[in-house]
Amino acid sequence: MSSNWRGQSGSAVTIPARTLARPRSGSAVVWTESPLQLLSAVEAHGAGLLGRDTTIYPRAGAVGMSGILSSMMAQVPAGVSFGQARTQIPSVRAAGVDRWVIGDAFSGQVQRQLLRHPPAHEVVVLDDGLATRKLLSGLTRDTLTPLLRPRAKRTPARDALGLAAWFRLRQLAQRGKLVVFTALPIDARVHADFERLGGHLEFHRFEWLSTQPVTEIVNEPMIMVGSAMPADGLIHADPYIDWLHELTQDGPVGYFPHRRETPELLDRIAANPMIRMKEHTVPVEMRLRGLCPPQTVHCLPSTVLASLGLLLAPAGVRLQGQSVPQSWWTPTTTAQLRRHLSSSLDDSESAA
């Protein structure tokens, strides 16, 4: 595939995408901190990007991890094994490992390991929601850009670590040792700049997951994918719940909660008899693959619009992203963060 963007003159410039040969040899060690990262790791292995042998270490205590582990262990592709859950990231200097695979490049624990990374080893970054786009945007800037989460507390020490991680990942890209594996649509200019830097951007459409049997049947005509925004203090809970109640005027709603939603908020949502609360188990990408028209999926801005779009758009299932009204945002949510969080609203169209 190629990336097209317009230079200063306005003329279109085509940058050929440098895809990696698949399957690849060697072995990989993976650190996953969320169900989506774990699913992405299995997709990367299934695509032949990680080598013949992949060992996945889940983060101990990560919300939702036990459910996806019990589901995935029986069906992962050949060559995938699971290590014991742990609280500390595996060493980048593990013997016999050719590539080190992570999801959250903004994690302080990950960044400290990056500074000890052997130059001969490759780093693969898996999907981690909108953070994947933020990472690519930051790495392709020529100005110093500390890798920090949008809401991270800024301190001199944290800025220094984030800046060192930015340097290290750019060095790896320049050596051809950095791969980003994503299902998200990426801005063409960022894509082109990342490849000129030397990085490899590899896309997937959940090819491995699409070969697996559908294990859950959802009967409600309207599906709501829950949001962590109220729990994270980004939006007020009351208008969010009021909006959910309005959706029930058109019929029953199946509610698939986000792994960070609080029990108190879920109890308030479930108080409406027209909202059928679903137990949180595995990622919605695995659970909602069996939907069909005229079923409709609603959600606030989320990368789910892109990932579910890849799986459901071919079947004609509609995804409806709801923009966040200004009155919903809490005062502590900056304008920059609001724009960042809302940037996924067009993803359902891009994934179709």
Side-chain angles (χ1 to χ4, degrees):
M1 74 188 286
S2 300
S3 296
N4 297 315
W5 61 284
R6 296 190 175 274
Q8 293 180 350
S9 65
S11 58
V13 179
T14 300
I15 305 295
R18 301 185 304 108
T19 57
L20 295 169
R22 308 179 191 181
R24 308 172 75 196
S25 61
S27 62
V29 61
V30 185
W31 169 247
T32 59
E33 301 180 81
S34 72
L36 175 60
Q37 291 176 24
L38 195 150
L39 176 58
S40 296
V42 173
E43 287 288 348
H45 178 92
L49 278 173
L50 303 187
R52 292 185 297 269
D53 299 296
T54 297
T55 304
I56 299 175
Y57 291 92
R59 180 169 184 168
V63 178
M65 195 67 81
S66 59
I68 189 172
L69 280 172
S70 61
S71 174
M72 297 286 273
M73 282 183 175
Q75 58 181 328
V76 292
V80 174
S81 60
F82 291 93
Q84 186 174 2
R86 51 193 297 167
T87 57
Q88 297 295 317
I89 190 168
S91 171
V92 298
R93 295 184 177 273
V97 173
D98 299 285
R99 46 194 63 92
W100 190 63
V101 188
I102 57 173
D104 184 4
F106 296 93
S107 160
Q109 188 179 167
V110 167
Q111 291 178 358
R112 283 187 288 272
Q113 279 288 340
L114 272 174
L115 301 187
R116 299 199 293 268
H117 190 272
H121 287 190
E122 186 177 65
V123 169
V124 180
V125 182
L126 305 169
D127 257 338
D128 192 34
L130 289 177
T132 304
R133 288 181 176 147
K134 181 174 175 59
L135 174 67
L136 288 168
S137 176
L139 291 177
T140 53
R141 293 195 187 103
D142 291 328
T143 54
L144 301 179
T145 309
L147 297 181
L148 299 171
R149 293 191 182 98
R151 292 187 293 147
K153 183 179 180 180
R154 303 289 295 268
T155 66
R158 192 64 190 88
D159 280 359
L161 180 60
L163 186 58
W166 178 79
F167 272 110
R168 178 52 53 89
L169 287 175
R170 280 176 60 93
Q171 288 175 345
L172 287 166
Q174 290 161 356
R175 295 169 180 163
K177 296 292 185 179
L178 180 62
V179 180
V180 175
F181 182 69
T182 183
L184 299 178
I186 302 298
D187 179 81
R189 184 184 294 272
V190 172
H191 185 173
D193 288 346
F194 184 64
E195 303 231 331
R196 273 198 300 275
L197 183 65
H200 296 271
L201 189 56
E202 298 285 332
F203 293 94
H204 73 96
R205 299 179 66 87
F206 294 98
E207 288 86 354
W208 173 81
L209 181 59
S210 298
T211 67
Q212 303 305 300
V214 174
T215 59
E216 184 169 356
I217 303 300
V218 180
N219 296 315
E220 289 82 9
M222 193 177 307
I223 310 302
M224 176 65 198
V225 177
S227 173
M229 287 187 188
D232 292 342
L234 300 172
I235 64 173
H236 299 290
D238 288 345
Y240 176 67
I241 294 174
D242 290 343
W243 172 58
L244 295 178
H245 290 172
E246 290 175 8
L247 291 178
T248 64
Q249 295 177 8
D250 295 324
V253 173
Y255 192 88
F256 288 75
H258 190 280
R259 62 194 178 95
R260 291 203 303 275
E261 287 187 270
T262 64
E264 294 77 15
L265 180 64
L266 294 179
D267 286 345
R268 291 181 62 189
I269 294 171
N272 187 321
M274 292 291 286
I275 296 179
R276 300 169 183 173
M277 187 65 63
K278 308 294 184 177
E279 181 183 359
H280 180 78
T281 54
V282 297
V284 291
E285 290 83 1
M286 301 176 69
R287 303 183 68 183
L288 299 180
R289 292 189 299 121
L291 297 184
C292 58
Q295 287 177 302
T296 303
V297 178
H298 293 261
C299 69
L300 293 185
S302 167
T303 50
V304 162
L305 289 167
S307 57
L308 279 181
L310 292 172
L311 294 163
L312 298 179
V317 175
R318 184 183 174 207
L319 280 81
Q320 181 65 52
Q322 166 68 35
S323 60
V324 179
Q326 289 299 316
S327 60
W328 289 22
W329 297 109
T330 59
T332 56
T333 309
T334 66
Q336 181 181 10
L337 183 54
R338 295 178 189 187
R339 289 192 298 270
H340 172 69
L341 294 170
S342 300
S343 64
S344 60
L345 285 176
D346 294 331
D347 284 349
S348 56
E349 297 179 6
S350 301

